[in-house]
Amino acid sequence: DTEVTQTPKHLVMGMTNKKSLKCEQHMGHRAMYWYKQKAKKPPELMFVYSYEKLSINESVPSRFSPECPNSSLLNLHLHALQPEDSALYLCASSQSKGLEQYFGPGTRLTVT
Amino acid sequence: GDSVTQMEGPVTLSEEAFLTINCTYTATGYPSLFWYVQYPGEGLQLLLKATKADDKGSNKGFEATYRKETTSFHLEKGSVQVSDSAVYFCALLNNAGNMLTFGGGTRLMVKP
């Protein structure tokens, strides 16, 4: 089973709201990733967690706050977003660094 | 830095036609190479991979060979189906194994 699940599937939020995206995998993978994908563009890496520790932050604004409570779960907390943050947010996982990444279906976020 | 270049789309083919999507890369060392497919409204699915020179990845009738001498990883399929219509992304994983670099994506449209 190579399934990564993400909730919610769609999210609409105002610029003053606080919301969270959730990602879960039960494959025993120890690396997890957040990507942002704008329409007709490739995914862009935001964060990498390895063994539940943040190892890469690609200069992402502080209004995006990742959290890895355990090895199966990855959250992305959102606060005071801008309309230009509207995008598809993809979570991925890999058994470890250096191996293929498996992606979830994404959360389509609209900021109004 | 690492980069991936794909042929621009859209590529429009008739059913049962032969498919080639070109992909070339620039990277230091010996990256792993991947093809991902994204169907409308969905996340990315790993299609195939190759981890060293001359490796051939294959899956669902798609093939790609890791050519170090030409720094290429072209995707091919002998006979496309309407259900193959999607966006295809070529990607490389850096030597540290923690960062995927994607090409711009190629949209394939297959007509009956």
Side-chain angles (χ1 to χ4, degrees):
Chain A
D1 184 14
T2 54
E3 187 177 27
V4 177
T5 59
Q6 290 186 244
T7 54
K9 191 171 177 61
H10 300 278
L11 178 62
V12 179
M13 61 185 291
M15 289 189 285
T16 59
N17 291 159
K18 285 186 181 180
K19 296 287 185 183
S20 296
L21 310 185
K22 179 181 173 180
C23 172
E24 201 161 5
Q25 57 86 14
H26 295 288
M27 297 178 279
H29 289 180
R30 301 314 300 267
M32 297 185 76
Y33 312 79
W34 279 115
Y35 289 84
K36 173 182 178 180
Q37 186 180 25
K38 302 284 276 185
K40 300 187 187 299
K41 297 290 187 183
E44 298 176 352
L45 182 66
M46 300 175 71
F47 302 104
V48 179
Y49 273 83
S50 180
Y51 289 86
E52 298 152 54
K53 294 190 187 306
L54 182 64
S55 64
I56 292 180
N57 176 340
E58 286 289 287
S59 303
V60 179
S62 60
R63 57 186 184 269
F64 295 92
S65 175
E67 178 196 20
C68 189
N70 59 58
S71 60
S72 300
L73 191 56
L74 185 66
N75 298 319
L76 186 63
H77 303 297
L78 314 172
H79 173 54
L81 295 192
Q82 304 298 309
E84 59 265 29
D85 296 322
S86 298
L88 181 68
Y89 287 84
L90 294 164
C91 174
S93 71
S94 62
Q95 190 169 10
S96 65
K97 289 192 306 180
L99 297 178
E100 61 270 22
Q101 295 180 21
Y102 294 92
F103 285 78
T107 293
R108 186 158 301 281
L109 173 68
T110 303
V111 182
T112 61
Chain B
D2 297 344
S3 67
V4 177
T5 302
Q6 290 180 235
M7 59 190 292
E8 289 196 20
V11 173
T12 303
L13 296 173
S14 297
E15 207 165 22
E16 299 185 1
F18 185 86
L19 169 70
T20 299
I21 300 179
N22 290 338
C23 171
T24 57
Y25 68 91
T26 302
T28 54
Y30 303 91
S32 294
L33 302 173
F34 305 89
W35 277 100
Y36 284 88
V37 57
Q38 186 172 32
Y39 297 99
E42 298 185 10
L44 276 68
Q45 295 180 23
L46 178 64
L47 183 58
L48 52 84
K49 68 176 183 179
T51 57
K52 61 183 187 296
D54 300 325
D55 266 2
K56 177 186 281 189
S58 61
N59 186 26
K60 300 180 181 179
F62 291 91
E63 293 183 340
T65 301
Y66 188 162
R67 301 286 187 200
K68 188 155 179 65
E69 63 275 14
T70 54
T71 62
S72 66
F73 193 54
H74 304 321
L75 182 68
E76 296 182 335
K77 187 177 185 184
S79 175
V80 294
Q81 305 300 311
V82 172
S83 57
D84 294 326
S85 298
V87 178
Y88 291 81
F89 290 99
C90 184
L92 71 80
L93 187 63
N94 64 352
N95 286 335
N98 57 10
M99 189 170 298
L100 268 179
T101 298
F102 288 92
T106 302
R107 180 174 300 277
L108 170 65
M109 299 171 58
V110 181
K111 298 186 175 181

